[in-house]
Amino acid sequence: MQNEKMMLEIQQKVELIERAAQAGTGIVEIGSFVHPKAVPQMADTDEVARRIKRYPGVEYRVLVVNKKGLERAGAAGIMKAKLTVSASNSHSLSNLKRTPEEVIKGFGECADYAVAHGIELSGAISTAFGCPFEGMVPLEQVMKVVSCFREMGVKELSLSDTTGMANPRQVYDYCLGVREQFPDVTWNLHFHNTRGMGLANVLAGMMAGIKRYDASFAGLGGCPYAPGATGNIATEDLVHMCHEMGIETGCDLDQSIAIGRDVQKLIGDDRGSFILKAGKCSDVVCS
Amino acid sequence: MQNEKMMLEIQQKVELIERAAQAGTGIVEIGSFVHPKAVPQMADTDEVARRIKRYPGVEYRVLVVNKKGLERAGAAGIMKAKLTVSASNSHSLSNLKRTPEEVIKGFGECADYAVAHGIELSGAISTAFGCPFEGMVPLEQVMKVVSCFREMGVKELSLSDTTGMANPRQVYDYCLGVREQFPDVTWNLHFHNTRGMGLANVLAGMMAGIKRYDASFAGLGGCPYAPGATGNIATEDLVHMCHEMGIETGCDLDQSIAIGRDVQKLIGDDRGSFILKAGKCSDVVCS
């Protein structure tokens, strides 16, 4: 939601989150604990966290950028937090006015706080495949950031194609590379469909053995600090492809589509979702 | 162009075809020789064929549905023709008012004519993965149609996902299946991006060893007889993905984008091309 001009009310957020959990989403990112001036759409995440009904087996996660965010997470009973750092120096400077190394140094106190308070930390590495300021980001650079996260004790990491610059061959190579180097990490992938390669990149990631993928209902998303960034791959498109391929996701496709449709109504705009436009394969069969 | 309401002038078609050839397109489908009442946009294909400058190494192909079409091809000096049959009975009836078997029977005299006049025949099997009337089309049904084509002596065949219902696992399985059963056939794949899986399906096809893919500039296309069908994958998106992956296509990406942009202007509408919206990966790098 952070790229949308309109603001959802707390109760609207709560309903969407509860429906996402009911639809079988394994991890629901309910918002971020960042400074409300930086992302005003997320200023009410504390209250959202307190109000949502928690479903067993569902992980509720927030994005944080520092220890203060973690404190807010703990106070709101959210026991899983995601720290984000850009793999690209320029992108990190543009986004947070600090280099990746400086950002990661700042995470040290987060790690201590998380251990002391039972909060599970995950890490997201943005612009992991390409950066609008630097072009292709080399795997070695990504490895450096992964190393820092591992040294902090973070065992769940996401490689994010923040600006839709990844291609399937690169995804396959990078994923094999990081899995080989860091076999004890649980990997997530995060793709945007900016250049039409979103689901192809998922396919490449699956072939490299990655089982967890971020997506957003109706294909919402983007990055306010990355020029040209467009929405994430749509949850309903991803679930649809997986189910068509016979891959179990745990998600209910019809519920996912219904949520996507309602998100689209709330935003009042047509996003990058294909299934919301075309319907499921099984829908179009007319006899 | 056959799904567009507006009609291009002959000279506009000629220019687009010549530019496509100059951009490195290996096979340019310049139009169809079908009854002008069925597809009025293609009524001038004879004249287009006569006017275009022929570039060496480029194959110029037309779509035909019967011997009359082949005669027109021969008269216009087009020595490569594509015969289309639907793998699905219902789709074939809706499209041509004949079953696939009846359509293929009618091709017998085409084969004789083609051999006698030195015209190379290729075959396209539409709804090869799914059909809006019947749902998923079984591989066995596709194999039957392939067998008929092979008995006629056709050695170049395309599997077409006419309504965007194919998924990558199915593409991989079907392609391995037909390649194993018919190792002497040169295979093409033809995808629509209706449900976002277009480029993922290309990836699956490449993994199954298929090297030839149809695409249309700006993502034009569709099938007037298939409910819910949308445009083909865009040439510029396909070339872009391949080049990003380090796969040589023989196509000039910038020229392809320029053609796509002009097609979009001619049509006066925004189609399914991603690269025309987002630019190449290398374009967005700003420093």
Side-chain angles (χ1 to χ4, degrees):
Chain A
M1 299 302 304
Q2 71 182 37
N3 276 348
E4 298 299 328
K5 283 173 194 160
M6 59 93 67
M7 308 273 271
L8 290 187
E9 291 168 22
I10 291 175
Q11 193 51 34
Q12 290 175 317
K13 290 185 181 181
V14 168
E15 278 171 24
L16 287 173
I17 291 163
E18 291 181 352
R19 287 173 68 194
Q22 284 175 308
T25 310
I27 302 173
V28 185
E29 191 162 299
I30 67 158
S32 57
F33 288 125
V34 294
H35 200 288
K37 277 190 189 160
V39 186
Q41 294 94 333
M42 295 297 168
D44 56 10
T45 301
D46 316 75
E47 185 58 25
V48 170
R50 283 189 198 95
R51 282 206 210 165
I52 49 171
K53 183 182 166 189
R54 309 286 174 99
Y55 288 85
V58 177
E59 292 188 333
Y60 298 90
R61 185 175 75 189
V62 286
L63 189 150
V64 299
V65 292
N66 51 32
K67 189 182 149 203
K68 182 148 193 199
L70 270 186
E71 290 168 354
R72 285 171 68 191
I78 299 294
M79 305 313 280
K80 180 156 193 162
K82 187 172 88 174
L83 293 161
T84 294
V85 64
S86 178
S88 144
N89 205 43
S90 320
H91 185 263
S92 184
L93 285 168
S94 163
N95 199 340
L96 297 170
K97 298 184 178 61
R98 285 178 290 162
T99 66
E101 290 72 14
E102 288 167 345
V103 173
I104 293 167
K105 263 187 209 164
F107 289 162
E109 56 172 11
C110 291
D112 298 339
Y113 186 90
V115 169
H117 294 80
I119 297 174
E120 189 191 345
L121 283 186
S122 69
I125 302 171
S126 63
T127 63
F129 299 96
C131 158
F133 303 104
E134 299 185 4
M136 200 197 72
V137 174
L139 179 55
E140 298 68 44
Q141 175 68 15
V142 177
M143 293 284 205
K144 272 188 210 169
V145 179
V146 174
S147 280
C148 294
F149 269 125
R150 281 304 292 118
E151 283 165 22
M152 278 177 57
V154 175
K155 283 192 167 179
E156 186 182 313
L157 287 173
S158 172
L159 300 184
S160 299
D161 182 30
T162 314
T163 57
M165 293 171 74
N167 69 72
R169 177 173 238 164
Q170 184 192 21
V171 169
Y172 185 74
D173 289 344
Y174 280 36
C175 290
L176 283 190
V178 295
R179 284 192 70 203
E180 191 183 347
Q181 194 82 9
F182 304 96
D184 65 339
V185 169
T186 299
W187 293 101
N188 292 265
L189 294 174
H190 175 107
F191 294 119
H192 291 242
N193 199 30
T194 316
R195 291 172 183 83
M197 296 183 277
L199 294 182
N201 285 334
V202 170
L203 190 64
M206 292 196 293
M207 287 190 296
I210 313 285
K211 295 177 181 172
R212 292 164 172 239
Y213 295 86
D214 289 351
S216 66
F217 293 103
L220 280 185
C223 171
Y225 304 101
T230 51
N232 289 31
I233 55 172
T235 307
E236 57 275 13
D237 291 351
L238 177 59
V239 173
H240 178 266
M241 180 175 85
C242 287
H243 290 194
E244 288 291 315
M245 293 175 76
I247 296 168
E248 186 49 58
T249 64
C251 287
D252 185 287
L253 177 56
D254 288 324
Q255 285 184 51
S256 300
I257 291 172
I259 297 169
R261 216 173 287 287
D262 287 343
V263 166
Q264 221 171 30
K265 277 183 207 157
L266 287 171
I267 304 306
D269 194 6
D270 186 16
R271 296 288 160 174
S273 166
F274 285 88
I275 296 304
L276 292 185
K277 285 193 205 83
K280 302 179 286 184
C281 283
S282 54
D283 280 346
V284 298
V285 179
C286 37
S287 70
Chain B
M1 298 301 304
Q2 69 182 39
N3 276 349
E4 298 299 327
K5 282 172 193 160
M6 59 93 67
M7 309 273 272
L8 290 188
E9 290 167 22
I10 291 175
Q11 193 51 35
Q12 290 175 318
K13 290 185 180 180
V14 168
E15 277 171 26
L16 287 173
I17 291 163
E18 290 181 352
R19 287 173 67 194
Q22 284 175 306
T25 310
I27 303 174
V28 185
E29 190 161 301
I30 67 159
S32 56
F33 288 125
V34 295
H35 199 288
K37 277 190 188 161
V39 186
Q41 294 92 333
M42 295 297 168
D44 56 10
T45 302
D46 316 74
E47 185 57 25
V48 169
R50 282 189 199 95
R51 283 206 210 164
I52 50 170
K53 181 181 167 189
R54 309 288 174 100
Y55 288 85
V58 177
E59 292 187 333
Y60 298 91
R61 185 175 75 188
V62 286
L63 189 149
V64 299
V65 292
N66 51 32
K67 188 182 152 205
K68 183 148 192 199
L70 269 187
E71 290 168 354
R72 287 170 68 191
I78 299 293
M79 304 314 279
K80 180 155 193 163
K82 187 172 87 175
L83 293 162
T84 293
V85 64
S86 178
S88 144
N89 205 43
S90 319
H91 185 263
S92 184
L93 285 168
S94 161
N95 199 341
L96 297 171
K97 297 185 178 61
R98 286 178 289 163
T99 65
E101 289 74 13
E102 288 167 345
V103 174
I104 293 166
K105 263 186 209 165
F107 288 162
E109 56 172 12
C110 291
D112 298 339
Y113 186 90
V115 169
H117 294 79
I119 297 174
E120 189 191 345
L121 283 185
S122 68
I125 302 172
S126 63
T127 65
F129 300 96
C131 158
F133 303 105
E134 298 185 3
M136 199 198 73
V137 174
L139 179 55
E140 298 69 44
Q141 175 66 16
V142 178
M143 293 283 204
K144 272 188 210 168
V145 179
V146 174
S147 280
C148 294
F149 269 123
R150 280 304 291 115
E151 283 165 22
M152 278 177 59
V154 174
K155 284 192 167 178
E156 186 181 314
L157 286 173
S158 172
L159 300 184
S160 299
D161 182 30
T162 314
T163 58
M165 294 170 73
N167 70 72
R169 177 173 236 163
Q170 183 193 20
V171 169
Y172 185 74
D173 290 345
Y174 279 36
C175 291
L176 283 191
V178 295
R179 285 193 69 203
E180 192 183 346
Q181 195 80 11
F182 304 97
D184 64 339
V185 169
T186 299
W187 293 99
N188 293 265
L189 294 173
H190 175 106
F191 295 119
H192 291 242
N193 198 31
T194 317
R195 290 171 185 83
M197 296 183 277
L199 293 181
N201 286 333
V202 170
L203 190 63
M206 290 196 293
M207 287 189 298
I210 312 286
K211 295 177 182 173
R212 291 165 172 239
Y213 295 85
D214 288 352
S216 65
F217 293 102
L220 280 185
C223 171
Y225 303 101
T230 51
N232 289 32
I233 55 171
T235 308
E236 56 275 15
D237 291 350
L238 176 60
V239 173
H240 178 266
M241 180 176 84
C242 287
H243 290 193
E244 287 292 315
M245 294 175 74
I247 296 168
E248 185 49 58
T249 64
C251 287
D252 184 286
L253 178 56
D254 288 324
Q255 285 184 51
S256 300
I257 291 172
I259 297 169
R261 215 173 289 287
D262 287 343
V263 166
Q264 221 172 31
K265 276 183 209 157
L266 286 170
I267 304 305
D269 194 8
D270 187 17
R271 297 287 162 177
S273 166
F274 285 88
I275 297 304
L276 291 186
K277 286 192 205 82
K280 302 180 285 183
C281 284
S282 55
D283 280 346
V284 298
V285 180
C286 37
S287 72

